[in-house]
Short mmCIF file of all heavy atoms in Angstrom, two decimals:
data_model
loop_
_atom_site.label_atom_id
_atom_site.label_comp_id
_atom_site.label_asym_id
_atom_site.label_seq_id
_atom_site.Cartn_x
_atom_site.Cartn_y
_atom_site.Cartn_z
N PHE A 200 -32.00 22.29 -76.19
CA PHE A 200 -32.78 23.45 -76.58
C PHE A 200 -34.00 23.02 -77.34
O PHE A 200 -33.96 22.09 -78.19
CB PHE A 200 -31.93 24.39 -77.42
CG PHE A 200 -30.85 25.08 -76.63
CD1 PHE A 200 -29.56 24.59 -76.59
CD2 PHE A 200 -31.12 26.23 -75.95
CE1 PHE A 200 -28.57 25.15 -75.82
CE2 PHE A 200 -30.11 26.84 -75.19
CZ PHE A 200 -28.85 26.33 -75.14
N THR A 201 -35.13 23.68 -77.05
CA THR A 201 -36.37 23.44 -77.74
C THR A 201 -36.34 24.21 -79.06
O THR A 201 -35.94 25.39 -79.09
CB THR A 201 -37.56 23.88 -76.91
OG1 THR A 201 -37.47 23.20 -75.61
CG2 THR A 201 -38.84 23.55 -77.56
N GLU A 202 -36.82 23.58 -80.12
CA GLU A 202 -36.81 24.26 -81.43
C GLU A 202 -37.71 25.52 -81.33
O GLU A 202 -38.77 25.51 -80.76
CB GLU A 202 -37.39 23.35 -82.50
CG GLU A 202 -36.49 22.16 -82.81
CD GLU A 202 -37.08 21.28 -83.88
OE1 GLU A 202 -37.64 21.82 -84.90
OE2 GLU A 202 -37.02 20.07 -83.75
N SER A 203 -37.26 26.60 -81.99
CA SER A 203 -38.00 27.90 -81.91
C SER A 203 -39.36 27.75 -82.57
O SER A 203 -40.29 28.49 -82.11
CB SER A 203 -37.16 29.01 -82.53
OG SER A 203 -36.88 28.75 -83.92
N VAL A 204 -39.56 26.91 -83.52
CA VAL A 204 -40.89 26.76 -84.15
C VAL A 204 -41.86 26.24 -83.08
O VAL A 204 -42.98 26.70 -83.01
CB VAL A 204 -40.78 25.77 -85.33
CG1 VAL A 204 -42.18 25.40 -85.86
CG2 VAL A 204 -39.93 26.37 -86.45
N LEU A 205 -41.41 25.30 -82.27
CA LEU A 205 -42.30 24.73 -81.26
C LEU A 205 -42.63 25.77 -80.17
O LEU A 205 -43.79 25.84 -79.69
CB LEU A 205 -41.68 23.47 -80.60
CG LEU A 205 -41.43 22.31 -81.58
CD1 LEU A 205 -40.69 21.18 -80.86
CD2 LEU A 205 -42.75 21.82 -82.11
N ILE A 206 -41.64 26.56 -79.84
CA ILE A 206 -41.85 27.61 -78.84
C ILE A 206 -42.83 28.62 -79.38
O ILE A 206 -43.75 29.02 -78.68
CB ILE A 206 -40.50 28.35 -78.50
CG1 ILE A 206 -39.61 27.36 -77.70
CG2 ILE A 206 -40.75 29.60 -77.67
CD1 ILE A 206 -38.17 27.83 -77.57
N ASP A 207 -42.68 29.01 -80.63
CA ASP A 207 -43.62 29.97 -81.25
C ASP A 207 -45.04 29.41 -81.35
O ASP A 207 -46.02 30.14 -81.13
CB ASP A 207 -43.12 30.36 -82.65
CG ASP A 207 -41.87 31.20 -82.59
OD1 ASP A 207 -41.59 31.81 -81.55
OD2 ASP A 207 -41.15 31.29 -83.65
N GLU A 208 -45.16 28.09 -81.64
CA GLU A 208 -46.49 27.51 -81.67
C GLU A 208 -47.12 27.53 -80.30
O GLU A 208 -48.35 27.82 -80.17
CB GLU A 208 -46.40 26.03 -82.17
CG GLU A 208 -46.13 25.92 -83.63
CD GLU A 208 -45.86 24.49 -84.09
OE1 GLU A 208 -45.89 23.56 -83.25
OE2 GLU A 208 -45.62 24.32 -85.31
N LYS A 209 -46.38 27.25 -79.25
CA LYS A 209 -46.91 27.25 -77.86
C LYS A 209 -47.33 28.69 -77.53
O LYS A 209 -48.40 28.94 -76.98
CB LYS A 209 -45.89 26.76 -76.91
CG LYS A 209 -46.31 26.80 -75.44
CD LYS A 209 -47.57 25.98 -75.17
CE LYS A 209 -47.26 24.53 -75.03
NZ LYS A 209 -48.37 23.72 -74.55
N ARG A 210 -46.49 29.69 -77.84
CA ARG A 210 -46.79 31.11 -77.52
C ARG A 210 -48.05 31.49 -78.25
O ARG A 210 -48.93 32.15 -77.68
CB ARG A 210 -45.63 31.99 -77.92
CG ARG A 210 -45.85 33.43 -77.60
CD ARG A 210 -44.68 34.34 -77.98
NE ARG A 210 -43.59 34.16 -77.03
CZ ARG A 210 -42.41 33.64 -77.33
NH1 ARG A 210 -42.15 33.22 -78.55
NH2 ARG A 210 -41.49 33.49 -76.42
N THR A 211 -48.19 31.12 -79.50
CA THR A 211 -49.38 31.48 -80.26
C THR A 211 -50.66 30.89 -79.65
O THR A 211 -51.66 31.61 -79.51
CB THR A 211 -49.25 31.02 -81.75
OG1 THR A 211 -48.14 31.71 -82.35
CG2 THR A 211 -50.50 31.30 -82.54
N SER A 212 -50.58 29.64 -79.24
CA SER A 212 -51.79 29.02 -78.62
C SER A 212 -52.14 29.70 -77.28
O SER A 212 -53.30 29.91 -76.97
CB SER A 212 -51.61 27.53 -78.42
OG SER A 212 -50.59 27.24 -77.51
N ILE A 213 -51.14 30.13 -76.54
CA ILE A 213 -51.38 30.85 -75.27
C ILE A 213 -52.03 32.23 -75.59
O ILE A 213 -53.01 32.58 -74.93
CB ILE A 213 -50.06 31.02 -74.46
CG1 ILE A 213 -49.57 29.69 -73.97
CG2 ILE A 213 -50.21 32.00 -73.34
CD1 ILE A 213 -48.16 29.70 -73.44
N LEU A 214 -51.46 32.92 -76.51
CA LEU A 214 -52.01 34.22 -76.83
C LEU A 214 -53.44 34.16 -77.38
O LEU A 214 -54.25 35.03 -77.04
CB LEU A 214 -51.08 34.94 -77.81
CG LEU A 214 -49.67 35.28 -77.25
CD1 LEU A 214 -48.75 35.72 -78.33
CD2 LEU A 214 -49.78 36.34 -76.13
N ARG A 215 -53.72 33.16 -78.19
CA ARG A 215 -55.08 32.99 -78.74
C ARG A 215 -56.03 32.72 -77.55
O ARG A 215 -57.20 33.22 -77.57
CB ARG A 215 -55.17 31.86 -79.74
CG ARG A 215 -54.34 32.03 -81.03
CD ARG A 215 -54.71 33.25 -81.93
NE ARG A 215 -54.16 34.50 -81.56
CZ ARG A 215 -52.93 34.99 -81.93
NH1 ARG A 215 -52.12 34.28 -82.63
NH2 ARG A 215 -52.57 36.19 -81.56
N ALA A 216 -55.62 31.92 -76.62
CA ALA A 216 -56.49 31.64 -75.46
C ALA A 216 -56.74 32.87 -74.64
O ALA A 216 -57.86 33.13 -74.17
CB ALA A 216 -55.83 30.53 -74.58
N ILE A 217 -55.74 33.68 -74.46
CA ILE A 217 -55.87 34.97 -73.72
C ILE A 217 -56.84 35.89 -74.48
O ILE A 217 -57.67 36.56 -73.89
CB ILE A 217 -54.50 35.64 -73.42
CG1 ILE A 217 -53.78 34.80 -72.43
CG2 ILE A 217 -54.66 37.10 -72.98
CD1 ILE A 217 -52.31 35.21 -72.22
#
Side-chain angles (χ1 to χ4, degrees):
F200 289 94
T201 304
E202 292 181 42
S203 59
V204 170
L205 298 175
I206 293 169
D207 291 340
E208 287 173 0
K209 178 60 81 171
R210 182 179 286 114
T211 298
S212 66
I213 292 167
L214 294 169
R215 297 298 84 85
I217 290 171

